[in-house]
Amino acid sequence: MNLTYEQLQENEYKQINEELEHKDTLEVIKWAYESFGDNLVYSCSFGAEGMVLIDLISKVKKDAQIVFLDTDFHFKETYDLIDQVKSKYPSLKIELAKPELTPEEQVEKYGDKLWERQPDACCQIRKLVPLQRELNKYDAWFSGLRREQSPTRANTQFVNQDNRFKSIKVCPLIHWTEEEIWMYIRLHKLPYNELHDKRYPSIGCEYCTKPVAEGEDPRSGRWANSEKTECGLHVNGSGI
């Protein structure tokens, strides 16, 4: 079976997921590296799921390739966490992928506060295009998606046909609950973004992320005051 986006057929995705169905997370990660080797990258946002997946990946491949979409608009706490991760896992190859436009160039071309007027356009410039550029270098990528995070993620499989980025998306954490994520973080004393302790369950760019009130949807703080719920990285023709 040829494991590339161009060659892998829909029935083969089904076959792979049936074979992995009863595997645990570490076994799925091992399968991914056995299948793709260095042609596999983890696109990490350094959220709570990201810290768990980084730790598990490091147990399988100490020099794994990790890319962070550095929009230039992240919280200081997020950049501080990345520094902590680099110190804790010195062998990991962590790259910060930048957009083609600096914030100043974006203002000059599209006007000020594009994220307020056209959040989809801002995400396209600062997230989607840079990720496409990075994923073009690899056959597959890891994502920390979990099924319980939102209705749009409920059908995510371990191995997914990613039609948006013409790639294969591997999601080892699909069965984890939020409680299990935090149990793992505390048990293994992993660093995490301190904003999580300030009612920020889901953390994106500073301008588009707000704290969430108790009882609200954990993702309601993302793109608050708009109908937008996803940046677009995980919405594609396969419904993922």
Side-chain angles (χ1 to χ4, degrees):
M1 189 182 297
N2 292 309
L3 299 184
T4 65
Y5 174 84
E6 290 76 17
Q7 295 174 305
L8 206 56
Q9 302 300 309
E10 189 171 338
N11 65 306
E12 293 174 316
Y13 282 98
K14 183 178 179 182
Q15 179 185 335
I16 290 169
N17 281 304
E18 286 175 350
E19 292 171 357
L20 295 175
E21 187 175 1
H22 300 295
K23 303 289 188 184
D24 64 24
T25 301
L26 264 180
E27 289 174 311
V28 173
I29 293 171
K30 288 176 183 175
W31 171 88
Y33 281 112
E34 288 168 0
S35 301
F36 302 107
D38 290 332
N39 282 314
L40 176 64
V41 65
Y42 175 26
S43 174
C44 182
S45 63
F46 290 88
E49 292 82 7
M51 300 317 304
V52 171
L53 195 45
I54 282 174
D55 191 68
L56 292 170
I57 285 172
S58 73
K59 297 179 188 303
V60 178
K61 187 172 173 60
K62 291 187 183 301
D63 62 344
Q65 190 74 45
I66 294 175
V67 64
F68 172 69
L69 301 179
D70 184 3
T71 63
D72 294 307
F73 296 153
H74 288 287
F75 290 90
K76 178 184 181 297
E77 289 87 348
T78 303
Y79 292 112
D80 289 344
L81 175 60
I82 294 172
D83 288 338
Q84 291 179 58
V85 171
K86 287 179 177 179
S87 177
K88 183 175 175 63
Y89 307 94
S91 297
L92 290 179
K93 299 174 181 175
I94 300 176
E95 178 183 353
L96 274 59
K98 295 268 196 181
E100 290 184 3
L101 296 180
T102 65
E104 294 76 21
E105 289 169 338
Q106 180 168 304
V107 170
E108 187 176 333
K109 188 169 184 178
Y110 297 101
D112 197 17
K113 298 183 179 179
L114 182 63
W115 54 86
E116 289 184 359
R117 296 179 288 104
Q118 294 178 278
D120 285 341
C122 193
C123 283
Q124 176 75 20
I125 294 165
R126 312 207 75 78
K127 283 189 172 183
L128 301 183
V129 172
L131 182 57
Q132 181 69 75
R133 184 182 69 226
E134 294 303 313
L135 294 186
N136 284 344
K137 305 172 186 176
Y138 302 92
D139 289 333
W141 64 298
F142 279 126
S143 170
L145 294 186
R146 296 185 295 107
R147 286 180 175 176
E148 75 162 17
Q149 285 173 321
S150 70
T152 60
R153 301 178 179 187
N155 296 318
T156 306
Q157 303 296 315
F158 280 133
V159 183
N160 305 272
Q161 183 180 29
D162 185 343
N163 295 322
R164 173 180 282 280
F165 294 109
K166 304 292 188 287
S167 184
I168 297 168
K169 181 162 62 176
V170 182
C171 303
L173 301 179
I174 55 172
H175 297 307
W176 287 54
T177 64
E178 183 179 3
E179 182 181 7
E180 289 169 334
I181 291 290
W182 283 104
M183 281 176 59
Y184 188 97
I185 287 173
R186 294 186 178 103
L187 179 65
H188 295 277
K189 296 181 171 57
L190 301 184
Y192 63 88
N193 196 319
E194 62 186 60
L195 290 175
H196 287 310
D197 294 331
K198 300 176 181 177
R199 298 188 292 115
Y200 287 83
S202 178
I203 302 167
C205 293
E206 185 171 7
Y207 301 123
C208 299
T209 308
K210 300 287 186 289
V212 172
E214 189 171 345
E216 286 187 324
D217 186 297
R219 289 186 63 81
S220 65
R222 302 292 297 277
W223 303 284
N225 304 319
S226 78
E227 295 181 0
K228 186 175 173 64
T229 60
E230 295 273 3
C231 61
L233 299 185
H234 303 294
V235 179
N236 66 58
S238 59
I240 296 160

